[in-house]
Amino acid sequence: MCDLVTELRRCEADTYRLLGIGAAERLSNWQRYDGPELVAFIRRVLRGPRRNNGWELQVKGGRSLEQIVIDCGSPTFTEDDIREAKETLGL
């Protein structure tokens, strides 16, 4: 089982450290959600206009939202979610 809260905390910290406060503040909205709403939030961000942040985090050695989706996988995320994450990361 994937602990999304722990993973998102790490992603948020890495985003702050590697991409800056603005990107981290946008991502911090995840804290307003729980359960299925949290997964829906991740899906929106995964397909959002700033999806290159995931690639940049990955390149800089941080924990990206995309990698969380890939690692957590099914049943939390769909095959389309995982494909989208891999595409963003160039995998």
Side-chain angles (χ1 to χ4, degrees):
M1 185 74 177
C2 185
D3 183 355
L4 282 179
V5 171
T6 299
E7 294 293 336
L8 285 165
R9 284 184 181 138
R10 180 175 165 202
C11 179
E12 184 179 353
D14 286 352
T15 300
Y16 178 79
R17 180 173 53 88
L18 298 169
L19 302 183
I21 193 168
E25 284 178 349
R26 287 187 298 275
L27 180 61
S28 72
N29 288 324
W30 72 266
Q31 297 175 36
R32 295 199 246 150
Y33 302 100
D34 193 354
E37 293 84 16
L38 179 56
V39 173
F41 171 79
I42 293 169
R43 284 185 176 128
R44 282 191 306 275
V45 173
L46 188 69
R47 291 170 172 81
R50 291 189 168 91
R51 46 186 286 201
N52 65 328
N53 284 356
W55 179 83
E56 191 172 345
L57 269 175
Q58 194 82 0
V59 168
K60 292 181 176 182
R63 183 71 165 156
S64 70
L65 194 62
E66 289 78 6
Q67 193 62 55
I68 293 169
V69 169
I70 293 166
D71 291 348
C72 290
S74 180
T76 305
F77 297 101
T78 67
E79 288 302 315
D80 283 342
D81 297 333
I82 296 166
R83 181 188 44 73
E84 187 81 25
K86 287 180 177 181
E87 188 176 292
T88 297
L89 297 180
L91 302 176

